[in-house]
Amino acid sequence: MKTWEKICQTLLLIFFIGVSGSLYAQFYVSPKVCLADLSLDPATGQMVGCEKRTAFFDTEPSSVSWLWDFGDGSQSISRNPQYVYQATGNYTVTLTRGFSSGAVETKTKQITVGAFPNQPKFNDKILADTTVCESSSLELNPFKLQLVGNVKYKWFPTGDTTRTITVDTTGCYSVEVFDATSGCSRSAKINVKFCLQESSSGGGIEKWYFGKGGSLEFGIEGDSTERDSLAVEGDLNPDLPLEDPAFKPGVTNEVSEVNTSGAVAMVYDKNTNLVFYTDGNKLFAGSDDTEIQTANGGNFTVGNVRSSQGLMIVPKSNCNACNFTEYYVLSLNPLTKLLSYSVVDMRYNNKKGAVVEQNIPLMFTASEKMAGIRSSNDSAFVMYAFDYKKGAFNILTIDSTGINTMEQIIGSSNVDSLSSVGYIAISPNGRKLAHGVVIAGRNYVEVFDRNLNTNSLSNPVLIDLNVVAPPVVYGVAFGSNSDILYTTIKGNSGQSSYLIQLALFLGDGASISAQKEIILQRNDEFGALMLGPVYGIGEKYLYMSVNNKNFLPYLQNPDVKGNAAVVGLTYVAGSASFGAPLDGLATLGLPNVLAPAVEQEGEGISANYSGNCQNSPTILTTQGICSPMRNKVTWYFDDGTKKEGTQTSFTYTKPGWHTIKMVVEVFQKSKISSVVNNQVVDKLTETECTEEEYSGTIYIKPAPVLTIPDKLYICLEEFEKKPFSPNPKGGDSFKYLWTTTLDAFLSDKPTYVFDIPATYKLEVTNNFECVAKDKITVLEGCEPALFLPDVFTPNDDNLNNDFEIIPAYITDFDFKVFNRWGELVFNSKNPEIKWDGRFKGKVFGNQLYPYTISYRSKYFPERGELQTRGSILILK
């Protein structure tokens, strides 16, 4: 290394670390040293408090071994240990550092471990929630009548430094209380909801800043979604999303404040508002692009204006405080390879933020490659930084406890120093990580599997790009899944640049290399690649930076294996547009973008249904509003019915669209309820907060209508089998299910043949998936019958001489015959006794004789006495 480079490196390292006097005289210790703040809550048995670790860092870049003595008997052998003291007091910290030459030196520093103030609370809780009427205001007091000693206050998001604040807007509020002597602090937060106050609006779709004034806005396109009126459950008044949404680049992209040839970092909040950003030189507020300064009004410079990817802004989770009060600005010094961070506190400067901690060393040595992602459970952010000297990844987990580092040596260990520049890419699903490396003068891409739980890497796959370096592999980016990877090889000084597609689904490195697609080869200088926007659900394009161009080329179909035409490359000779137009210029870098999970504040009134079939119960549910305030919910149906409750049931008898009105009354407890804990008193003293009306609609699908008798009879004496079909209406097609009463399957045909007395169940489902259920009881029963002639000839020829009646399934038989004058001429109560046609010993032929037959049914005696009338002709 040249002498002037050593001098620059030393000066820059002094600047970044902020060490006064000789660089090697001491080491870095966190400005606040606080004791452990964890304790056991006797009421719940849970641990409460926050872990307040003290960070130590050896600022000597050439040291190779370390032995720390923290002055209380505990030790560490890491360059950058983090430690928690268990008691207040003065301690002597000793660092014994070793060098590759075998030399050893010892340095000491005196530190004072401070105490905490009393724990602030809201409503006697460290983490509280409250709801008040929209027209009200609320005073927040973290100590009520307590004496708290010599303390200072800092409120989020207002930035107030008073003991109390009064709020009138829905949101998260937290206070940090500092001991005035030690600076150690404790926090408490309260989520305040003003009943039905409009929620905080999101900032829309993310926007990228990069290059020299470059910016890229995204628009989202898609067809309007039609409400699925046949869905079995849903919202009564749904907010319909776009169908197949797709993000497109903006047509006009205004000049931004950034001015860099390399890295840019941007961070968004939980409502997708841009919080702030940096171009490696300055910090800019996302709300109005004003420059962010230090807390005392001084200028702040990041000091990283040329690294490829060595910038990142990470939301800092705070224990017992609102997220996100503070943000880490991580920056790599390209000369010293020192990764350090500063802290921006958003409680300053009217919520635009100020730098409250500067240039805190984090690790040696890192490359210019850094990439980050939200953890799989959204509780932390995970960052990967590559150390090309070791062939190692430094994995940083950033959560409410601070920054936890883990080193993993994996992949190729003999990479060239050219591997320190370029980009790391993490697939959108978080399961893959990739970066470019140079080994023995050749360009490669290295791909790893990423564990979503442990964040560790595994199964490295080395893919030969078959291009000699230089030019050097630079940008990497995945498509919308882990199957396709793109990389650029950056040429300069007349060298060709390449845009290459790698089909990772082919499995092994050799197969992927053999089937790589060179999407584009030009003498332009290709830079970073990025799928955008980073957040948001929908189809996305993959963008490529090209140095000093006023456009940003993109691939319209990045998830398809194929050439430039197949992937929809816009950078094609002779085309009308080379990509997204820029008012500024692109350079080599595209931004590192991070954001917490989206969360809309406030709550609205809504109602859901479950079940929408005719003649079946429809369950209607609302969560109420402004919980935990008492709600009175009244439902009004279009037939005049009125019901109450947050959940109710209603059965519609007519298909088609129906309107439902819901009225919600919200009641606020009086202050006396906090003194007298009694439900009767609560209701007598509460006041109405608001009354809100909600209207929605529901489509009731037609259900099958069945025609089934309650009972059906079969005559077992005659071995009768009786077929039956319900002939349903109310649908275009039907499915049938005949079962026993124990739900044993019998048939799925529309007609069932009954031959055994029993009770049978039938379920009919129409094409709307609505169901009609019924049952039929089959009993043994033969219908009564009489078989008798209309004429007989009592002439003693032995043919049809008698009037014979053959009965079936009857009892109480009574047969009577009359003459034309109404005289009874024959009577028999036994069907076996036949009438021979004689009256008073004579046959009066060729006459009609009226008769009656009275009887009862053998199987259906409940029918009572039955009678058959007729007349019989006697011929002689």
Side-chain angles (χ1 to χ4, degrees), residues 105-159:
E105 68 176 355
T106 300
K107 300 297 178 182
T108 62
K109 180 176 283 192
Q110 299 294 319
I111 64 170
T112 299
V113 178
F116 294 98
N118 290 337
Q119 175 65 55
K121 293 181 180 180
F122 297 107
N123 300 335
D124 297 321
K125 297 178 181 179
I126 300 175
L127 308 174
D129 297 281
T130 191
T131 304
V132 293
C133 289
E134 183 181 8
S135 58
S136 307
S137 60
L138 181 66
E139 182 185 69
L140 302 180
N141 185 342
F143 289 115
K144 292 187 178 178
L145 301 178
Q146 288 179 269
L147 297 175
V148 295
N150 187 16
V151 298
K152 298 178 180 180
Y153 302 86
K154 196 71 173 180
W155 289 87
F156 177 83
T158 62

Short mmCIF file of all heavy atoms in Angstrom, two decimals, residues 105-159:
data_model
loop_
_atom_site.label_atom_id
_atom_site.label_comp_id
_atom_site.label_asym_id
_atom_site.label_seq_id
_atom_site.Cartn_x
_atom_site.Cartn_y
_atom_site.Cartn_z
N GLU A 105 -0.22 -5.96 23.50
CA GLU A 105 -0.28 -4.73 24.27
C GLU A 105 -1.58 -4.70 25.05
O GLU A 105 -2.58 -5.32 24.66
CB GLU A 105 -0.16 -3.49 23.38
CG GLU A 105 -1.31 -3.25 22.45
CD GLU A 105 -1.15 -1.94 21.66
OE1 GLU A 105 -0.19 -1.21 21.92
OE2 GLU A 105 -2.00 -1.66 20.81
N THR A 106 -1.57 -3.97 26.17
CA THR A 106 -2.72 -3.90 27.05
C THR A 106 -3.16 -2.45 27.20
O THR A 106 -2.34 -1.55 27.41
CB THR A 106 -2.38 -4.47 28.44
OG1 THR A 106 -1.99 -5.84 28.28
CG2 THR A 106 -3.57 -4.38 29.36
N LYS A 107 -4.50 -2.22 27.09
CA LYS A 107 -5.07 -0.90 27.26
C LYS A 107 -6.21 -0.99 28.27
O LYS A 107 -6.88 -2.02 28.38
CB LYS A 107 -5.59 -0.35 25.93
CG LYS A 107 -4.52 -0.22 24.85
CD LYS A 107 -3.45 0.79 25.23
CE LYS A 107 -2.36 0.88 24.19
NZ LYS A 107 -1.28 1.82 24.59
N THR A 108 -6.41 0.10 29.00
CA THR A 108 -7.47 0.12 30.01
C THR A 108 -8.31 1.38 29.86
O THR A 108 -7.88 2.38 29.27
CB THR A 108 -6.89 0.08 31.43
OG1 THR A 108 -6.08 1.25 31.63
CG2 THR A 108 -6.07 -1.17 31.65
N LYS A 109 -9.52 1.30 30.41
CA LYS A 109 -10.40 2.47 30.41
C LYS A 109 -11.31 2.37 31.63
O LYS A 109 -11.79 1.27 31.97
CB LYS A 109 -11.23 2.54 29.13
CG LYS A 109 -12.17 3.75 29.09
CD LYS A 109 -12.91 3.84 27.76
CE LYS A 109 -12.00 4.40 26.69
NZ LYS A 109 -12.74 4.77 25.46
N GLN A 110 -11.57 3.49 32.26
CA GLN A 110 -12.46 3.54 33.41
C GLN A 110 -13.89 3.84 32.92
O GLN A 110 -14.09 4.73 32.09
CB GLN A 110 -12.03 4.65 34.38
CG GLN A 110 -10.63 4.47 34.96
CD GLN A 110 -10.55 3.25 35.86
OE1 GLN A 110 -11.46 2.97 36.64
NE2 GLN A 110 -9.46 2.51 35.74
N ILE A 111 -14.83 3.08 33.41
CA ILE A 111 -16.23 3.32 33.05
C ILE A 111 -17.07 3.36 34.31
O ILE A 111 -16.68 2.83 35.36
CB ILE A 111 -16.77 2.23 32.10
CG1 ILE A 111 -16.79 0.87 32.80
CG2 ILE A 111 -15.98 2.17 30.82
CD1 ILE A 111 -17.53 -0.19 32.00
N THR A 112 -18.21 4.01 34.20
CA THR A 112 -19.16 4.08 35.31
C THR A 112 -20.48 3.48 34.85
O THR A 112 -21.07 3.92 33.85
CB THR A 112 -19.39 5.53 35.75
OG1 THR A 112 -18.14 6.08 36.21
CG2 THR A 112 -20.42 5.59 36.87
N VAL A 113 -20.94 2.44 35.55
CA VAL A 113 -22.21 1.79 35.24
C VAL A 113 -23.31 2.53 35.99
O VAL A 113 -23.26 2.66 37.22
CB VAL A 113 -22.18 0.30 35.65
CG1 VAL A 113 -23.54 -0.34 35.35
CG2 VAL A 113 -21.07 -0.42 34.91
N GLY A 114 -24.29 3.04 35.22
CA GLY A 114 -25.32 3.88 35.81
C GLY A 114 -26.59 3.15 36.14
O GLY A 114 -26.82 2.01 35.71
N ALA A 115 -27.44 3.83 36.90
CA ALA A 115 -28.72 3.29 37.34
C ALA A 115 -29.84 3.85 36.47
O ALA A 115 -29.67 4.81 35.73
CB ALA A 115 -28.96 3.62 38.79
N PHE A 116 -31.00 3.23 36.61
CA PHE A 116 -32.16 3.62 35.84
C PHE A 116 -33.11 4.47 36.67
O PHE A 116 -33.15 4.37 37.90
CB PHE A 116 -32.92 2.38 35.35
CG PHE A 116 -32.17 1.55 34.37
CD1 PHE A 116 -31.49 0.42 34.76
CD2 PHE A 116 -32.14 1.90 33.03
CE1 PHE A 116 -30.80 -0.35 33.85
CE2 PHE A 116 -31.45 1.14 32.11
CZ PHE A 116 -30.78 0.01 32.52
N PRO A 117 -33.94 5.26 35.98
CA PRO A 117 -35.04 5.94 36.68
C PRO A 117 -36.14 4.95 37.01
O PRO A 117 -36.09 3.78 36.59
CB PRO A 117 -35.50 6.98 35.66
CG PRO A 117 -35.22 6.33 34.34
CD PRO A 117 -33.93 5.57 34.54
N ASN A 118 -37.14 5.40 37.75
CA ASN A 118 -38.31 4.55 37.99
C ASN A 118 -38.98 4.22 36.65
O ASN A 118 -38.91 4.98 35.68
CB ASN A 118 -39.31 5.26 38.90
CG ASN A 118 -38.80 5.36 40.32
OD1 ASN A 118 -37.94 4.59 40.74
ND2 ASN A 118 -39.30 6.34 41.06
N GLN A 119 -39.64 3.08 36.61
CA GLN A 119 -40.28 2.63 35.38
C GLN A 119 -41.54 3.45 35.10
O GLN A 119 -42.47 3.49 35.90
CB GLN A 119 -40.68 1.15 35.50
CG GLN A 119 -41.47 0.62 34.32
CD GLN A 119 -40.67 0.62 33.03
OE1 GLN A 119 -39.59 0.05 32.96
NE2 GLN A 119 -41.20 1.27 31.99
N PRO A 120 -41.59 4.15 33.96
CA PRO A 120 -42.84 4.84 33.60
C PRO A 120 -43.92 3.84 33.21
O PRO A 120 -43.62 2.75 32.72
CB PRO A 120 -42.42 5.71 32.40
CG PRO A 120 -41.26 4.99 31.81
CD PRO A 120 -40.54 4.33 32.96
N LYS A 121 -45.18 4.22 33.43
CA LYS A 121 -46.29 3.35 33.08
C LYS A 121 -47.49 4.18 32.65
O LYS A 121 -47.63 5.34 33.04
CB LYS A 121 -46.70 2.47 34.29
CG LYS A 121 -45.66 1.45 34.70
CD LYS A 121 -46.17 0.61 35.88
CE LYS A 121 -45.14 -0.43 36.30
NZ LYS A 121 -45.62 -1.26 37.44
N PHE A 122 -48.35 3.56 31.86
CA PHE A 122 -49.62 4.16 31.49
C PHE A 122 -50.72 3.22 31.95
O PHE A 122 -50.69 2.02 31.64
CB PHE A 122 -49.71 4.39 29.98
CG PHE A 122 -48.70 5.36 29.44
CD1 PHE A 122 -47.62 4.91 28.70
CD2 PHE A 122 -48.82 6.71 29.70
CE1 PHE A 122 -46.69 5.80 28.21
CE2 PHE A 122 -47.90 7.61 29.21
CZ PHE A 122 -46.82 7.17 28.47
N ASN A 123 -51.66 3.75 32.70
CA ASN A 123 -52.73 2.91 33.26
C ASN A 123 -52.15 1.72 34.01
O ASN A 123 -52.65 0.59 33.93
CB ASN A 123 -53.67 2.42 32.15
CG ASN A 123 -54.34 3.56 31.41
OD1 ASN A 123 -54.49 4.66 31.96
ND2 ASN A 123 -54.73 3.32 30.18
N ASP A 124 -51.04 2.00 34.73
CA ASP A 124 -50.36 1.00 35.54
C ASP A 124 -49.76 -0.14 34.72
O ASP A 124 -49.51 -1.23 35.22
CB ASP A 124 -51.30 0.41 36.61
CG ASP A 124 -51.78 1.47 37.59
OD1 ASP A 124 -50.96 2.33 37.96
OD2 ASP A 124 -52.96 1.43 37.97
N LYS A 125 -49.53 0.10 33.43
CA LYS A 125 -48.93 -0.91 32.57
C LYS A 125 -47.77 -0.30 31.79
O LYS A 125 -47.79 0.88 31.43
CB LYS A 125 -49.96 -1.48 31.58
CG LYS A 125 -51.12 -2.22 32.24
CD LYS A 125 -52.09 -2.71 31.18
CE LYS A 125 -53.27 -3.43 31.82
NZ LYS A 125 -54.25 -3.89 30.80
N ILE A 126 -46.76 -1.14 31.52
CA ILE A 126 -45.65 -0.68 30.69
C ILE A 126 -46.10 -0.57 29.24
O ILE A 126 -45.70 0.34 28.52
CB ILE A 126 -44.45 -1.63 30.82
CG1 ILE A 126 -43.98 -1.70 32.27
CG2 ILE A 126 -43.31 -1.20 29.91
CD1 ILE A 126 -42.89 -2.72 32.52
N LEU A 127 -46.93 -1.51 28.81
CA LEU A 127 -47.50 -1.51 27.46
C LEU A 127 -49.01 -1.47 27.60
O LEU A 127 -49.61 -2.41 28.10
CB LEU A 127 -47.07 -2.76 26.68
CG LEU A 127 -45.57 -3.05 26.64
CD1 LEU A 127 -45.30 -4.39 25.97
CD2 LEU A 127 -44.83 -1.95 25.90
N ALA A 128 -49.62 -0.37 27.20
CA ALA A 128 -51.05 -0.17 27.46
C ALA A 128 -51.79 0.17 26.18
O ALA A 128 -51.19 0.55 25.16
CB ALA A 128 -51.24 0.94 28.50
N ASP A 129 -53.10 0.01 26.24
CA ASP A 129 -53.99 0.40 25.15
C ASP A 129 -55.17 1.15 25.77
O ASP A 129 -55.65 0.79 26.86
CB ASP A 129 -54.52 -0.82 24.39
CG ASP A 129 -53.42 -1.59 23.70
OD1 ASP A 129 -52.98 -1.16 22.63
OD2 ASP A 129 -52.99 -2.62 24.26
N THR A 130 -55.65 2.14 25.06
CA THR A 130 -56.82 2.86 25.54
C THR A 130 -57.60 3.40 24.36
O THR A 130 -57.04 3.61 23.27
CB THR A 130 -56.42 4.01 26.48
OG1 THR A 130 -57.60 4.52 27.13
CG2 THR A 130 -55.74 5.14 25.73
N THR A 131 -58.90 3.58 24.56
CA THR A 131 -59.76 4.13 23.52
C THR A 131 -60.62 5.22 24.12
O THR A 131 -61.18 5.06 25.21
CB THR A 131 -60.67 3.03 22.93
OG1 THR A 131 -59.86 1.96 22.45
CG2 THR A 131 -61.50 3.57 21.79
N VAL A 132 -60.72 6.34 23.42
CA VAL A 132 -61.53 7.47 23.89
C VAL A 132 -62.34 7.97 22.71
O VAL A 132 -62.11 7.62 21.56
CB VAL A 132 -60.65 8.60 24.46
CG1 VAL A 132 -59.96 8.16 25.73
CG2 VAL A 132 -59.61 9.04 23.44
N CYS A 133 -63.31 8.83 23.01
CA CYS A 133 -64.16 9.38 21.96
C CYS A 133 -63.37 10.31 21.06
O CYS A 133 -62.43 10.98 21.49
CB CYS A 133 -65.33 10.15 22.58
SG CYS A 133 -66.54 9.06 23.37
N GLU A 134 -63.78 10.35 19.81
CA GLU A 134 -63.03 11.12 18.82
C GLU A 134 -62.97 12.60 19.17
O GLU A 134 -61.99 13.28 18.90
CB GLU A 134 -63.67 10.94 17.44
CG GLU A 134 -62.90 11.64 16.32
CD GLU A 134 -63.56 11.47 14.98
OE1 GLU A 134 -64.67 10.94 14.92
OE2 GLU A 134 -62.93 11.88 13.97
N SER A 135 -64.02 13.13 19.76
CA SER A 135 -64.07 14.56 20.07
C SER A 135 -63.28 14.91 21.33
O SER A 135 -63.21 16.07 21.71
CB SER A 135 -65.53 15.00 20.24
OG SER A 135 -66.15 14.23 21.28
N SER A 136 -62.69 13.90 21.97
CA SER A 136 -61.98 14.14 23.23
C SER A 136 -60.51 14.42 22.98
O SER A 136 -60.02 14.38 21.86
CB SER A 136 -62.11 12.91 24.14
OG SER A 136 -63.46 12.54 24.30
N SER A 137 -59.80 14.70 24.05
CA SER A 137 -58.35 14.72 24.06
C SER A 137 -57.92 13.95 25.30
O SER A 137 -58.71 13.72 26.21
CB SER A 137 -57.80 16.15 24.09
OG SER A 137 -58.25 16.84 25.25
N LEU A 138 -56.68 13.52 25.32
CA LEU A 138 -56.22 12.65 26.40
C LEU A 138 -54.86 13.11 26.89
O LEU A 138 -53.94 13.32 26.10
CB LEU A 138 -56.13 11.21 25.88
CG LEU A 138 -55.69 10.14 26.89
CD1 LEU A 138 -56.74 9.97 27.97
CD2 LEU A 138 -55.45 8.82 26.18
N GLU A 139 -54.76 13.27 28.20
CA GLU A 139 -53.47 13.60 28.79
C GLU A 139 -52.74 12.32 29.14
O GLU A 139 -53.29 11.42 29.79
CB GLU A 139 -53.65 14.45 30.06
CG GLU A 139 -52.31 14.85 30.67
CD GLU A 139 -52.44 15.59 32.00
OE1 GLU A 139 -52.85 14.95 32.98
OE2 GLU A 139 -52.13 16.79 32.02
N LEU A 140 -51.50 12.23 28.70
CA LEU A 140 -50.66 11.07 29.00
C LEU A 140 -49.66 11.45 30.07
O LEU A 140 -48.86 12.38 29.89
CB LEU A 140 -49.94 10.61 27.73
CG LEU A 140 -50.82 10.23 26.54
CD1 LEU A 140 -49.97 9.80 25.37
CD2 LEU A 140 -51.81 9.14 26.93
N ASN A 141 -49.74 10.73 31.18
CA ASN A 141 -48.86 11.00 32.32
C ASN A 141 -48.22 9.69 32.74
O ASN A 141 -48.91 8.79 33.23
CB ASN A 141 -49.66 11.60 33.48
CG ASN A 141 -48.77 12.02 34.64
OD1 ASN A 141 -47.63 11.59 34.76
ND2 ASN A 141 -49.30 12.87 35.51
N PRO A 142 -46.92 9.53 32.58
CA PRO A 142 -46.29 8.23 32.87
C PRO A 142 -46.05 7.96 34.35
O PRO A 142 -45.67 6.86 34.70
CB PRO A 142 -44.96 8.33 32.12
CG PRO A 142 -44.65 9.78 32.10
CD PRO A 142 -45.97 10.48 32.00
N PHE A 143 -46.29 8.95 35.20
CA PHE A 143 -45.99 8.75 36.62
C PHE A 143 -47.13 9.13 37.56
O PHE A 143 -47.05 8.89 38.76
CB PHE A 143 -44.73 9.54 37.02
CG PHE A 143 -43.47 8.96 36.46
CD1 PHE A 143 -42.72 9.66 35.53
CD2 PHE A 143 -43.04 7.69 36.85
CE1 PHE A 143 -41.55 9.12 35.01
CE2 PHE A 143 -41.87 7.15 36.33
CZ PHE A 143 -41.13 7.87 35.41
N LYS A 144 -48.17 9.76 37.08
CA LYS A 144 -49.29 10.20 37.92
C LYS A 144 -48.78 10.98 39.12
O LYS A 144 -48.15 12.02 38.97
CB LYS A 144 -50.15 9.00 38.32
CG LYS A 144 -50.90 8.37 37.15
CD LYS A 144 -51.86 7.28 37.59
CE LYS A 144 -52.62 6.72 36.41
NZ LYS A 144 -53.54 5.63 36.81
N LEU A 145 -48.99 10.47 40.34
CA LEU A 145 -48.61 11.23 41.54
C LEU A 145 -47.25 10.82 42.10
O LEU A 145 -46.88 11.25 43.20
CB LEU A 145 -49.69 11.04 42.62
CG LEU A 145 -51.11 11.48 42.23
CD1 LEU A 145 -52.07 11.18 43.37
CD2 LEU A 145 -51.15 12.96 41.86
N GLN A 146 -46.50 10.01 41.35
CA GLN A 146 -45.22 9.54 41.86
C GLN A 146 -44.16 10.65 41.85
O GLN A 146 -44.19 11.55 41.01
CB GLN A 146 -44.69 8.39 40.99
CG GLN A 146 -45.44 7.08 41.15
CD GLN A 146 -44.86 6.03 40.24
OE1 GLN A 146 -45.30 5.88 39.11
NE2 GLN A 146 -43.86 5.32 40.73
N LEU A 147 -43.24 10.55 42.80
CA LEU A 147 -42.04 11.37 42.78
C LEU A 147 -40.98 10.59 42.02
O LEU A 147 -40.65 9.46 42.37
CB LEU A 147 -41.58 11.67 44.21
CG LEU A 147 -42.55 12.50 45.06
CD1 LEU A 147 -42.02 12.63 46.49
CD2 LEU A 147 -42.78 13.88 44.46
N VAL A 148 -40.41 11.20 40.97
CA VAL A 148 -39.54 10.44 40.08
C VAL A 148 -38.09 10.88 40.12
O VAL A 148 -37.24 10.27 39.49
CB VAL A 148 -40.06 10.54 38.63
CG1 VAL A 148 -41.41 9.86 38.52
CG2 VAL A 148 -40.16 11.99 38.17
N GLY A 149 -37.77 11.92 40.84
CA GLY A 149 -36.37 12.33 40.95
C GLY A 149 -35.91 13.16 39.76
O GLY A 149 -36.71 13.73 39.01
N ASN A 150 -34.58 13.20 39.58
CA ASN A 150 -33.97 14.04 38.56
C ASN A 150 -33.96 13.28 37.24
O ASN A 150 -33.05 12.49 36.97
CB ASN A 150 -32.55 14.42 39.00
CG ASN A 150 -31.93 15.42 38.04
OD1 ASN A 150 -32.61 16.05 37.25
ND2 ASN A 150 -30.61 15.57 38.13
N VAL A 151 -34.96 13.52 36.42
CA VAL A 151 -35.08 12.78 35.16
C VAL A 151 -35.39 13.75 34.02
O VAL A 151 -35.78 14.90 34.24
CB VAL A 151 -36.19 11.71 35.23
CG1 VAL A 151 -35.88 10.67 36.28
CG2 VAL A 151 -37.55 12.36 35.50
N LYS A 152 -35.22 13.24 32.81
CA LYS A 152 -35.58 13.96 31.60
C LYS A 152 -36.53 13.09 30.78
O LYS A 152 -36.51 11.86 30.91
CB LYS A 152 -34.34 14.31 30.77
CG LYS A 152 -33.36 15.23 31.49
CD LYS A 152 -32.13 15.49 30.62
CE LYS A 152 -31.16 16.41 31.34
NZ LYS A 152 -29.94 16.68 30.51
N TYR A 153 -37.31 13.75 29.93
CA TYR A 153 -38.32 13.04 29.15
C TYR A 153 -38.10 13.27 27.66
O TYR A 153 -37.64 14.32 27.23
CB TYR A 153 -39.74 13.53 29.51
CG TYR A 153 -40.10 13.38 30.97
CD1 TYR A 153 -39.77 14.38 31.89
CD2 TYR A 153 -40.78 12.26 31.43
CE1 TYR A 153 -40.12 14.25 33.23
CE2 TYR A 153 -41.13 12.13 32.77
CZ TYR A 153 -40.79 13.13 33.66
OH TYR A 153 -41.13 13.00 34.98
N LYS A 154 -38.48 12.23 26.88
CA LYS A 154 -38.51 12.37 25.43
C LYS A 154 -39.68 11.55 24.91
O LYS A 154 -39.72 10.32 25.07
CB LYS A 154 -37.19 11.87 24.82
CG LYS A 154 -36.98 12.32 23.37
CD LYS A 154 -36.69 13.81 23.29
CE LYS A 154 -36.30 14.22 21.88
NZ LYS A 154 -36.02 15.67 21.81
N TRP A 155 -40.66 12.25 24.29
CA TRP A 155 -41.87 11.61 23.82
C TRP A 155 -41.77 11.29 22.33
O TRP A 155 -41.15 12.01 21.55
CB TRP A 155 -43.08 12.51 24.04
CG TRP A 155 -43.48 12.65 25.48
CD1 TRP A 155 -42.99 13.55 26.38
CD2 TRP A 155 -44.44 11.87 26.17
NE1 TRP A 155 -43.59 13.39 27.60
CE2 TRP A 155 -44.50 12.36 27.50
CE3 TRP A 155 -45.27 10.82 25.83
CZ2 TRP A 155 -45.34 11.83 28.46
CZ3 TRP A 155 -46.13 10.29 26.77
CH2 TRP A 155 -46.16 10.78 28.07
N PHE A 156 -42.41 10.17 21.97
CA PHE A 156 -42.56 9.82 20.55
C PHE A 156 -44.05 9.79 20.24
O PHE A 156 -44.84 9.26 21.04
CB PHE A 156 -41.96 8.45 20.26
CG PHE A 156 -42.15 8.01 18.83
CD1 PHE A 156 -41.29 8.43 17.84
CD2 PHE A 156 -43.22 7.18 18.46
CE1 PHE A 156 -41.47 8.04 16.52
CE2 PHE A 156 -43.41 6.79 17.15
CZ PHE A 156 -42.52 7.22 16.18
N PRO A 157 -44.47 10.34 19.10
CA PRO A 157 -43.64 10.93 18.03
C PRO A 157 -43.47 12.43 18.14
O PRO A 157 -42.87 13.03 17.25
CB PRO A 157 -44.45 10.56 16.78
CG PRO A 157 -45.87 10.66 17.23
CD PRO A 157 -45.88 10.15 18.66
N THR A 158 -44.01 13.04 19.19
CA THR A 158 -44.08 14.50 19.23
C THR A 158 -42.73 15.16 19.50
O THR A 158 -42.52 16.31 19.14
CB THR A 158 -45.06 14.93 20.32
OG1 THR A 158 -44.57 14.48 21.59
CG2 THR A 158 -46.45 14.34 20.07
N GLY A 159 -41.81 14.45 20.20
CA GLY A 159 -40.53 15.05 20.55
C GLY A 159 -40.58 15.92 21.78
O GLY A 159 -39.57 16.53 22.15
#
